[in-house]
Amino acid sequence: MKKIWIAVLLAALFTSGCGSKAVQEKTNSKPVKTAETGSFDEKLAGGQLGNESIAFVGAGTANKLWVIDAKYHKLVSTIDVGGPYNERTNKDYYPNLNDTHAIAFTKDFKTLFTGDWYNYDEPSYVIAIDPITMREKWRLPTGKGAHHIALSADDKYLYVANQHDGTLSVIDLATRKKIKDLKTGKGTCYLSPTMYWDRKAIDTPYMFLSVESENKVVAIDMKTNEIVKNISVGGMVHGTNLTPDGKYVWAAVMGAKKVAVIDPKTLEVTGEIKFNEGPIHIAFSPDSKFGYVTTGGNQIYKINVKTHKVVWSTTGTTVPAHVGVTPDGKELWTLNHGMDKRYPYTLGGAAVSGVQVWDTKTGKLITEIVADGVPHEIQFVPYSVFMPKMEATQESSHSNHDTVQAAETNFKNTCASCHGNDLKGGAGPNLTKVGGKYTEQELLKIIQDGKGMMPSNLLTKEESQQMAKWLSQKK
């Protein structure tokens, strides 16, 4: 199965589906390298390579999960969550039948959870999936209208927000049993995550839940699984997120056109950020310095978390609702509920939807990925999770030795005059621990493109790759 997965992944990298859209915001940053001037790999990625991870996206009305290569910005597979297609007889229900929103992973990335609803007269199901085989492991009934889900910080409990029951189901993962339903209120909606990218739990004892129709955020103790406080935010609230450092909770208060800032220790509202249109969803940078907010009018904002000042703003296509930031913090992904007139056809009887990828530094559009469905939650999973574990062979050992030897020789001939024979620096910086600061891919880019006073193209492509691999091991 792993061989099939890798074959599908590599084959899909040669498919296309990218568009372009001018961004209104002007910046003083260097222009993003375009597909015309970039390498072949960059052309495949829409002009700029992304993070080495796989993005899993809840595809809404497609009743599927999208599986996207985040480095090349390509849809490589889908996971069908089962059940027949049902006509939506009740237009007022949201989420409706066969509407797959939720994405949550255990911190070892061995289990993916989502939810779906198959019959108005029966409860929804939470579904556990093996992300390697992309096959279902088990499923369990929760409540009606399963919307968003999240795990406790220790992965002991799974929480399912049941929008049409007004409840939060608590599932014990060890026994795979629902242990209680908390009465949370009408319009029970969105749960804050307890882990973003790097397998580490966010430092917080509380899970935060938005309850749309009751204008509140509910704080839930993840040890006792009891409601600690109902926090009034002064309007209909949708997205709720916690900064990776656990210091701030932001709630998108659509009804009051503001983001409410909540102290996760005192559970008090301590500030607000006003917008011209109602905020929809929120994501944060890995270093917790910036928040990204989508609003009505298809607007996207980058906000300084401490000062609440706008760094940049831009315009996406139809409803750039949910958002996610890549593990390296370099890209913002907006999950759009519809695209524009570049796609004059429908898929599954509905307008094309998809993802737009933005450069977090400049606010410029990199590319877009389109597919069937209306996307919601997103989770990035490292490439390493999907790599087959193979024993080192004599051949690979010999190859690594050759790489080290070639890199050392090229360093002495080309780089040592600036960085020193011992890598401790001179005219150039100290490189003895450079692998702890940059990834192999980042080092390769510096070697090829140059940086500061360092010129570009000092080495051939093969020599640059050898050098990057060698330096990445200096930690």
PDB file of all heavy atoms in Angstrom, residues 332-347:
ATOM      1  N   LEU A 332      -0.069  30.930   3.847  1.00  0.00           N
ATOM      2  CA  LEU A 332      -1.427  30.940   4.383  1.00  0.00           C
ATOM      3  C   LEU A 332      -2.320  30.277   3.347  1.00  0.00           C
ATOM      4  O   LEU A 332      -2.318  30.660   2.184  1.00  0.00           O
ATOM      5  CB  LEU A 332      -1.892  32.371   4.637  1.00  0.00           C
ATOM      6  CG  LEU A 332      -3.355  32.525   5.068  1.00  0.00           C
ATOM      7  CD1 LEU A 332      -3.551  32.041   6.495  1.00  0.00           C
ATOM      8  CD2 LEU A 332      -3.808  33.968   4.925  1.00  0.00           C
ATOM      9  N   TRP A 333      -3.092  29.283   3.773  1.00  0.00           N
ATOM     10  CA  TRP A 333      -4.033  28.613   2.885  1.00  0.00           C
ATOM     11  C   TRP A 333      -5.442  29.047   3.265  1.00  0.00           C
ATOM     12  O   TRP A 333      -5.864  28.871   4.417  1.00  0.00           O
ATOM     13  CB  TRP A 333      -3.908  27.094   3.010  1.00  0.00           C
ATOM     14  CG  TRP A 333      -2.666  26.516   2.402  1.00  0.00           C
ATOM     15  CD1 TRP A 333      -1.428  27.078   2.373  1.00  0.00           C
ATOM     16  CD2 TRP A 333      -2.545  25.251   1.747  1.00  0.00           C
ATOM     17  NE1 TRP A 333      -0.530  26.250   1.743  1.00  0.00           N
ATOM     18  CE2 TRP A 333      -1.190  25.108   1.356  1.00  0.00           C
ATOM     19  CE3 TRP A 333      -3.441  24.225   1.470  1.00  0.00           C
ATOM     20  CZ2 TRP A 333      -0.732  23.974   0.690  1.00  0.00           C
ATOM     21  CZ3 TRP A 333      -2.977  23.090   0.818  1.00  0.00           C
ATOM     22  CH2 TRP A 333      -1.636  22.979   0.423  1.00  0.00           C
ATOM     23  N   THR A 334      -6.167  29.634   2.317  1.00  0.00           N
ATOM     24  CA  THR A 334      -7.577  29.967   2.553  1.00  0.00           C
ATOM     25  C   THR A 334      -8.433  28.928   1.842  1.00  0.00           C
ATOM     26  O   THR A 334      -8.178  28.588   0.683  1.00  0.00           O
ATOM     27  CB  THR A 334      -7.928  31.374   2.044  1.00  0.00           C
ATOM     28  OG1 THR A 334      -7.655  31.474   0.644  1.00  0.00           O
ATOM     29  CG2 THR A 334      -7.135  32.427   2.792  1.00  0.00           C
ATOM     30  N   LEU A 335      -9.435  28.424   2.535  1.00  0.00           N
ATOM     31  CA  LEU A 335     -10.311  27.389   2.005  1.00  0.00           C
ATOM     32  C   LEU A 335     -11.579  28.074   1.509  1.00  0.00           C
ATOM     33  O   LEU A 335     -12.409  28.513   2.304  1.00  0.00           O
ATOM     34  CB  LEU A 335     -10.609  26.347   3.079  1.00  0.00           C
ATOM     35  CG  LEU A 335      -9.372  25.792   3.819  1.00  0.00           C
ATOM     36  CD1 LEU A 335      -9.781  24.693   4.794  1.00  0.00           C
ATOM     37  CD2 LEU A 335      -8.332  25.270   2.846  1.00  0.00           C
ATOM     38  N   ASN A 336     -11.711  28.178   0.205  1.00  0.00           N
ATOM     39  CA  ASN A 336     -12.706  29.049  -0.412  1.00  0.00           C
ATOM     40  C   ASN A 336     -14.006  28.314  -0.733  1.00  0.00           C
ATOM     41  O   ASN A 336     -13.989  27.262  -1.356  1.00  0.00           O
ATOM     42  CB  ASN A 336     -12.146  29.662  -1.694  1.00  0.00           C
ATOM     43  CG  ASN A 336     -10.941  30.547  -1.438  1.00  0.00           C
ATOM     44  OD1 ASN A 336     -10.632  30.855  -0.292  1.00  0.00           O
ATOM     45  ND2 ASN A 336     -10.260  30.938  -2.478  1.00  0.00           N
ATOM     46  N   HIS A 337     -15.114  28.911  -0.342  1.00  0.00           N
ATOM     47  CA  HIS A 337     -16.438  28.355  -0.622  1.00  0.00           C
ATOM     48  C   HIS A 337     -16.919  28.819  -1.992  1.00  0.00           C
ATOM     49  O   HIS A 337     -17.879  29.571  -2.125  1.00  0.00           O
ATOM     50  CB  HIS A 337     -17.429  28.767   0.468  1.00  0.00           C
ATOM     51  CG  HIS A 337     -17.099  28.183   1.792  1.00  0.00           C
ATOM     52  ND1 HIS A 337     -17.904  28.324   2.899  1.00  0.00           N
ATOM     53  CD2 HIS A 337     -16.042  27.430   2.214  1.00  0.00           C
ATOM     54  CE1 HIS A 337     -17.360  27.697   3.932  1.00  0.00           C
ATOM     55  NE2 HIS A 337     -16.230  27.159   3.535  1.00  0.00           N
ATOM     56  N   GLY A 338     -16.224  28.375  -3.016  1.00  0.00           N
ATOM     57  CA  GLY A 338     -16.504  28.796  -4.380  1.00  0.00           C
ATOM     58  C   GLY A 338     -15.329  29.554  -4.960  1.00  0.00           C
ATOM     59  O   GLY A 338     -14.559  30.168  -4.225  1.00  0.00           O
ATOM     60  N   MET A 339     -15.138  29.448  -6.265  1.00  0.00           N
ATOM     61  CA  MET A 339     -14.103  30.206  -6.960  1.00  0.00           C
ATOM     62  C   MET A 339     -14.780  31.209  -7.891  1.00  0.00           C
ATOM     63  O   MET A 339     -15.992  31.373  -7.874  1.00  0.00           O
ATOM     64  CB  MET A 339     -13.178  29.254  -7.721  1.00  0.00           C
ATOM     65  CG  MET A 339     -12.267  28.432  -6.803  1.00  0.00           C
ATOM     66  SD  MET A 339     -11.073  29.480  -5.921  1.00  0.00           S
ATOM     67  CE  MET A 339      -9.944  28.233  -5.292  1.00  0.00           C
ATOM     68  N   ASP A 340     -13.992  31.862  -8.760  1.00  0.00           N
ATOM     69  CA  ASP A 340     -14.607  32.863  -9.629  1.00  0.00           C
ATOM     70  C   ASP A 340     -14.837  32.321 -11.043  1.00  0.00           C
ATOM     71  O   ASP A 340     -14.821  31.117 -11.268  1.00  0.00           O
ATOM     72  CB  ASP A 340     -13.786  34.154  -9.625  1.00  0.00           C
ATOM     73  CG  ASP A 340     -12.367  33.931 -10.159  1.00  0.00           C
ATOM     74  OD1 ASP A 340     -12.175  32.965 -10.916  1.00  0.00           O
ATOM     75  OD2 ASP A 340     -11.489  34.741  -9.840  1.00  0.00           O
ATOM     76  N   LYS A 341     -15.029  33.206 -11.999  1.00  0.00           N
ATOM     77  CA  LYS A 341     -15.495  32.822 -13.330  1.00  0.00           C
ATOM     78  C   LYS A 341     -14.416  32.195 -14.206  1.00  0.00           C
ATOM     79  O   LYS A 341     -14.673  31.896 -15.376  1.00  0.00           O
ATOM     80  CB  LYS A 341     -16.109  34.031 -14.026  1.00  0.00           C
ATOM     81  CG  LYS A 341     -17.380  34.520 -13.331  1.00  0.00           C
ATOM     82  CD  LYS A 341     -17.968  35.725 -14.036  1.00  0.00           C
ATOM     83  CE  LYS A 341     -19.221  36.202 -13.305  1.00  0.00           C
ATOM     84  NZ  LYS A 341     -19.809  37.403 -13.948  1.00  0.00           N
ATOM     85  N   ARG A 342     -13.224  31.992 -13.666  1.00  0.00           N
ATOM     86  CA  ARG A 342     -12.230  31.222 -14.417  1.00  0.00           C
ATOM     87  C   ARG A 342     -12.717  29.804 -14.671  1.00  0.00           C
ATOM     88  O   ARG A 342     -12.258  29.130 -15.583  1.00  0.00           O
ATOM     89  CB  ARG A 342     -10.907  31.166 -13.645  1.00  0.00           C
ATOM     90  CG  ARG A 342     -10.079  32.425 -13.713  1.00  0.00           C
ATOM     91  CD  ARG A 342      -8.708  32.208 -13.087  1.00  0.00           C
ATOM     92  NE  ARG A 342      -8.805  31.789 -11.707  1.00  0.00           N
ATOM     93  CZ  ARG A 342      -9.033  32.615 -10.692  1.00  0.00           C
ATOM     94  NH1 ARG A 342      -9.252  33.893 -10.936  1.00  0.00           N
ATOM     95  NH2 ARG A 342      -9.071  32.177  -9.451  1.00  0.00           N
ATOM     96  N   TYR A 343     -13.625  29.316 -13.815  1.00  0.00           N
ATOM     97  CA  TYR A 343     -14.124  27.944 -13.921  1.00  0.00           C
ATOM     98  C   TYR A 343     -15.619  28.006 -14.253  1.00  0.00           C
ATOM     99  O   TYR A 343     -16.456  28.080 -13.350  1.00  0.00           O
ATOM    100  CB  TYR A 343     -13.866  27.201 -12.612  1.00  0.00           C
ATOM    101  CG  TYR A 343     -12.422  27.324 -12.178  1.00  0.00           C
ATOM    102  CD1 TYR A 343     -12.045  28.280 -11.222  1.00  0.00           C
ATOM    103  CD2 TYR A 343     -11.428  26.544 -12.751  1.00  0.00           C
ATOM    104  CE1 TYR A 343     -10.720  28.424 -10.850  1.00  0.00           C
ATOM    105  CE2 TYR A 343     -10.103  26.686 -12.381  1.00  0.00           C
ATOM    106  CZ  TYR A 343      -9.753  27.628 -11.433  1.00  0.00           C
ATOM    107  OH  TYR A 343      -8.433  27.770 -11.066  1.00  0.00           O
ATOM    108  N   PRO A 344     -15.984  27.961 -15.538  1.00  0.00           N
ATOM    109  CA  PRO A 344     -17.382  28.160 -15.944  1.00  0.00           C
ATOM    110  C   PRO A 344     -18.249  26.910 -15.807  1.00  0.00           C
ATOM    111  O   PRO A 344     -19.411  26.928 -16.171  1.00  0.00           O
ATOM    112  CB  PRO A 344     -17.245  28.552 -17.423  1.00  0.00           C
ATOM    113  CG  PRO A 344     -16.003  27.831 -17.875  1.00  0.00           C
ATOM    114  CD  PRO A 344     -15.076  27.844 -16.691  1.00  0.00           C
ATOM    115  N   TYR A 345     -17.678  25.822 -15.272  1.00  0.00           N
ATOM    116  CA  TYR A 345     -18.395  24.561 -15.156  1.00  0.00           C
ATOM    117  C   TYR A 345     -18.724  24.277 -13.693  1.00  0.00           C
ATOM    118  O   TYR A 345     -18.266  24.983 -12.779  1.00  0.00           O
ATOM    119  CB  TYR A 345     -17.543  23.417 -15.721  1.00  0.00           C
ATOM    120  CG  TYR A 345     -16.120  23.420 -15.204  1.00  0.00           C
ATOM    121  CD1 TYR A 345     -15.774  22.819 -13.993  1.00  0.00           C
ATOM    122  CD2 TYR A 345     -15.107  24.051 -15.924  1.00  0.00           C
ATOM    123  CE1 TYR A 345     -14.477  22.835 -13.509  1.00  0.00           C
ATOM    124  CE2 TYR A 345     -13.806  24.074 -15.447  1.00  0.00           C
ATOM    125  CZ  TYR A 345     -13.497  23.461 -14.241  1.00  0.00           C
ATOM    126  OH  TYR A 345     -12.205  23.496 -13.768  1.00  0.00           O
ATOM    127  N   THR A 346     -19.501  23.224 -13.477  1.00  0.00           N
ATOM    128  CA  THR A 346     -19.796  22.780 -12.106  1.00  0.00           C
ATOM    129  C   THR A 346     -19.246  21.378 -11.900  1.00  0.00           C
ATOM    130  O   THR A 346     -19.043  20.626 -12.862  1.00  0.00           O
ATOM    131  CB  THR A 346     -21.313  22.773 -11.831  1.00  0.00           C
ATOM    132  OG1 THR A 346     -21.939  21.836 -12.724  1.00  0.00           O
ATOM    133  CG2 THR A 346     -21.918  24.147 -12.022  1.00  0.00           C
ATOM    134  N   LEU A 347     -19.005  21.018 -10.644  1.00  0.00           N
ATOM    135  CA  LEU A 347     -18.590  19.661 -10.266  1.00  0.00           C
ATOM    136  C   LEU A 347     -19.559  19.162  -9.207  1.00  0.00           C
ATOM    137  O   LEU A 347     -19.768  19.835  -8.201  1.00  0.00           O
ATOM    138  CB  LEU A 347     -17.159  19.663  -9.709  1.00  0.00           C
ATOM    139  CG  LEU A 347     -16.038  20.005 -10.702  1.00  0.00           C
ATOM    140  CD1 LEU A 347     -14.700  20.072  -9.981  1.00  0.00           C
ATOM    141  CD2 LEU A 347     -15.985  18.983 -11.830  1.00  0.00           C
TER     142      LEU A 347
END
